[in-house]
Amino acid sequence: MQDTIHALLALQELDHQIYSLRDELRRLPEERAARRAQIDSLIARRDEAHKQALELRVKIKELEDMSTISRQRIRKVENEAAMARNDMALQAAFQHQVKSLKKDISMAEEQGIAHVSEAEVFDKDEAKYKAEIEAAEKLFSEFSGNVERELAVARGKLSELEKLRKTRLSPDINPDSFVLYERLVQTREGVALARLEDRVCQACFIQVPVNLYVRVARGNALVQCPSCDRIFYFE
Ligand SMILES: [Zn+2]
């Protein structure tokens, strides 16, 4: 069993590094995607502010057009009134029309002024998001470049370690032990073996019973930690 343990320790030395590298290769793109999503949400907010301001300006234009039409109608009514100066009943009706048109104009103007200040708030928001996006994009492009470099380095290291690992797959490791070892590497964050020191597991720091300690010392079979499942070894 000592040969198996030694062979597994030789593998473990590489597998811990391989595990960390694979973790890094997974983590870095995830972090980059999260940062991208943050910027994209800023872009969506900027576009929304832009859209709102635009819609308000369309409304302002409509109100202005309505006022123009109302003014034209006022002039028309005033002309008609000038021509029918002696008809008192008509004069009253014309006055009433003019009054109502002037009221329309003043309401449209008030609404227009309100929309102008609303649109200005959206303009400010848009400008604020624009500045934030610009700064974030700059940082992101820097970060993204670093990620690319780090990923390339990690991929290079990983392929070297994987090559080296093949040379360490020893015939001293029987298939059952290998399956157990591989499962533990996956489930125990790249560390399948634990040193036993003074009856204490150096991975999870539980104290093991004497009989278990004796079994590890005898070295006839692989002995696993009762708490963290890792395979024990002595130095
Ligand atoms: Zn343990």
Side-chain angles (χ1 to χ4, degrees), residues 51 66 87 97 110 116-117 128 187 189-190 195 200 235:
K51 193 181 134 216
M66 272 166 56
D87 188 331
Q97 274 185 47
E110 260 174 52
V116 166
S117 34
K128 186 192 84 181
T187 56
E189 283 159 3
R195 193 157 54 82
V200 174
E235 228 162 30

Side-chain angles (χ1 to χ4, degrees), residues 188 194-196 200-208 224-232:
R188 295 293 177 269
R195 193 157 54 82
L196 191 59
V200 174
C201 170
Q202 294 304 300
C204 72
F205 300 103
I206 196 185
Q207 193 177 43
V208 302
Q224 289 175 257
C225 173
S227 169
C228 73
D229 273 349
R230 291 186 179 89
I231 302 162
F232 278 135

Side-chain angles (χ1 to χ4, degrees), residues 64-74 101:
E64 282 169 359
D65 290 348
M66 272 166 56
S67 296
T68 304
I69 291 167
S70 296
R71 281 192 198 96
Q72 283 166 355
R73 284 178 62 193
I74 288 174
L101 286 164

Side-chain angles (χ1 to χ4, degrees), residues 64 100 130 189 191:
E64 282 169 359
S100 149
K130 217 173 144 187
E189 283 159 3
V191 183

